[in-house]
Amino acid sequence: MQWDDAAATPVPLPWQVGRVGGALGALGALLLAERERWALWFPAAMGAGVALYFSLDHEPSPWLGGLGLAAAAALVVLAWRRGHSIALPLGVLAFCLGFGAAELQAALAAAPVLARKLGPVMVEGRLLAIDPLPEGARLVIAPRHIDRLDAARLPARVRVRLRRDDPALAPGGFIAVRAMLYPPPAPAMPGGYDFERQAYFERLGAVGFALGPAAARAPPAGAGPGIFATAVAALRTGVTERIRAVLPGPSGAVAAALITGDTHAIPPVEAAQFRNAGLAHILVIAGLHMGMVAGIVFFAVRALLALVPAIALNHPTKKYAAAAALLVSFGYMLLSGATVSSRRAFVMIGLMLLGVLFDRLSLSARAIAWAAVAILLMTPASATGPSFQMSFAAVGALIAFYEAMRPRLAAWHRQAGAARRFGLYLLGITFTTIVTTFATMPFIIYHFNRFPLYSIAANVLAVPVAGFWIMPWAILACLLMPFGLEALALEPMRFGIELVAAIAQHVSSWPGAVVDVASPPPFALALLAVGGLWLCIWQRRWRWLGLLPIGVSLAIAVFARPPDILVSSDQRVIAVRAPDGAYWLSSTRTERATGAAWAQRAAAPLGPAWPREGEGAGGALRCDAEGCIYRARGRVVALERDAAALAEDCPRADLVVSPAAARR
C-alpha cells in the first residue's frame, strides 16, 4: 500500500485495483452465463427465511413478516422501474416470503395447549382419524367437552391411544372416551426431535392414553355432517381395514403403508429391518410410488384409447391420458395422507403432466423448485423436519446428477441391445442409490443418528421388485376394491412384499449393517446444505466450489463434542458424560425415554445410575448423600441432591445444578 500524507488514508495500487476488478468481472460473467439457473435459488432463499424464523428464541412482532415482505416487494418494483436487475431484490423478496409464511402459519395454527397433566377425564368429540398400531390404535379427536376444562382452554385436537382396536369406530362419528391427558412433550435436548413443535402446527393440544374402550355418541344438536378432511380420513381408514382383512400381519401393514401411507401398524421389528437395510423409503409414499402410479395410468389409458380407431385418429389421446394420470395422482396423494414427500412428488409429476396437456416442455430442475415453493408457502414448518429435507435433497441431487450424465447415458442407450439395456437399468438403480445415499446421509445422521452401510446392495435388489411387481398390483387392488375383489390383486402383492421384507431382513443382519453416529451441530448441517445447493444448482466448473462449505461442515461434525452434562426439562434426571463417552444418569427409574434420546443423539452408550456414595463415570463423578461433584475439561460442577449443600459448593464450583432455587 502507498499512503497519501494529505488524506492519511491508504490508496490502492493500480495492480490491486485491476486484480479486484478482474475478479469481479469474472464472477459477473459466470453469473450471467448461468442466468437461466437463477430462479432455482428462489426456494433456497425462501427456506433461509423459514430457517431464520424457527431459529429465533422468541416470537417476533406479528407485523414483522408483513412489513418485511412489503419492503422487499417495493424494492423489486423500484429496481424494475429503474431498469436495474431484479435478481437480488427477488432473492430478498423470497427470503421475506419464507419468513412471513412461517409467521403466518404459526399464527393460524395457534390453539390452546394443555398446561399440565389432566385426568382421568371424559373426552367427548368428533373422531377425526384412526391410526392402526401393532397393538390397538391411536384416535385423533376434535373435542367438544373435556372434564375440568372450560371452552376457552379446550384443545383443538387431542390424540389418545387405545389398547385395543375397535372396528366399530369410524372417522366422522362422535365418541366419548375416559383418558389421561398430558401436554405434548418438549424435545429431550436442543436440536432433538421436537414433537412439541410438530403438535403445535397440527393443532394437537394434548396427548394421552385411554383408560377403557371408546363409546359412540349421538351427534350434538347443530353439529355438521363432517368436513372434507374427515371424509378422506374415513376413506383411508376403510381402505386400510380392507387391506389388513385380506393380508393380516406385517405384509398387510406394509401393503397399507404403500397404498394409504399408514405406517403405524408396521411391527417395530420389521420397521427396524427396513431402516437398517436402507429401504425405509419404500415404505414412504414419494416419487417412486407417485411416478409408478402416474406412469401406469398414463400408458394404460392411452393404450385403451388406441383400441378405438375413432378416438385414436380424431382426438389427442396423449392429453386425455395425461389428464387421467393427473386426477389419479391427486387422488393417490389424498389417499396417502398428503405427506410432504407425496405432495412434493405430486407437484413434480403434476407439472410434467401439465406440460403434456399444454404442449410445453417441463424442466426437471424447475419442477422441483416450484414444488419446494408450493410446499414452503403452504406448510413452511415442514421444512424443519426430516421428510422435507431428505426428500428434496435426494431429488435435487438426482436431477443434478442426471443433468450432467444425460449425454453419456443417452449415448449408451442408443448403442445398447435388450440385455445391455437391462444392465443399464441396474446401473441406473445403482447410480440412483449412491447419489441419494450421499445426499440424504447428513440428514439421516442428524435426525436419526444412524447410517445403513449396505443400502446400495439392498436397493439394487428391492427397488425393481417394488417398481415392477408391488406397485402395479397395488393399483389394481384399488381398482378392484369397489367390487369387493381386492384379494385378487393383494395376494400377488403379498409375494412381492414378503420378498422385499426378506431382503431387508437379510441385509440388516450383515455385520456392521448400521453405524451409530452422533448428531452434528445445526450450523454444520446448514453449511452443508448451502454447499449442496451450490453443487446442484450451478452447471459450470465453479459449482465445485460448493465442496468447500461441505468440507468445513464435515470437519465441524467430526470434531464436535457431545454435551458433558444434560438436564431434563423437568429436572427429574441429569446425565454426565464419562471419559469413555457413556452417559451416567442420576436415576434409571424415571425419564427412561429422555435418557435413551440423549444416548441416541450422542451415539453413546448408557452407563449405570450414579452411585449413592463413592466414584462413578470413570472417576469423573464423586458422590455423597448431599450430591455429586463432576469434573470435566478442567471444570468443577456441583450436582446437588440437597439444597443444604449450596452454601458449601457455590464458592468452590464453576457451575451448580440444584433442584432448589439458589436465592443468594
Side-chain angles (χ1 to χ4, degrees), residues 88-229:
L88 185 58
L90 278 177
V92 176
L93 178 66
F95 180 87
C96 296
L97 186 61
F99 186 93
E103 192 174 33
L104 178 62
Q105 187 190 12
L108 294 177
V113 177
L114 202 65
R116 60 184 181 277
K117 173 183 173 182
L118 183 66
V121 291
M122 186 63 70
V123 180
E124 299 180 11
R126 185 192 297 275
L127 181 58
L128 298 180
I130 304 175
D131 297 325
L133 300 174
E135 294 182 1
R138 284 195 321 203
L139 310 180
V140 180
I141 305 168
R144 293 180 63 89
H145 172 75
I146 297 178
D147 293 344
R148 303 203 297 272
L149 277 184
D150 54 38
R153 295 184 298 154
L154 204 63
R157 294 183 177 184
V158 170
R159 196 175 73 187
V160 176
R161 175 167 181 161
L162 285 179
R163 295 183 181 180
R164 295 181 181 178
D165 194 7
D166 188 348
L169 299 177
F174 282 81
I175 65 169
V177 61
R178 193 167 182 80
M180 294 291 299
L181 299 180
Y182 302 85
M189 62 184 296
Y193 172 60
D194 196 343
F195 176 75
E196 187 177 35
R197 179 170 61 197
Q198 177 184 334
Y200 175 88
F201 285 100
E202 292 178 359
R203 310 195 78 207
L204 194 65
V207 295
F209 58 90
L211 300 175
R217 290 286 188 269
I227 57 175
F228 176 74

Side-chain angles (χ1 to χ4, degrees), residues 119 163 170 172 203 217 236 275 300 307 345 379 434 437 449 468 484-485 504 538 578:
R163 295 183 181 180
R203 310 195 78 207
R217 290 286 188 269
R236 292 184 66 211
R275 287 195 303 270
L307 297 176
T379 56
I434 293 174
T437 297
N449 308 108
F468 289 101
L485 302 175
W538 300 132

Side-chain angles (χ1 to χ4, degrees), residues 379-394:
T379 56
S382 62
T384 63
S387 179
F388 178 96
Q389 296 167 7
M390 293 172 60
S391 178
F392 280 96

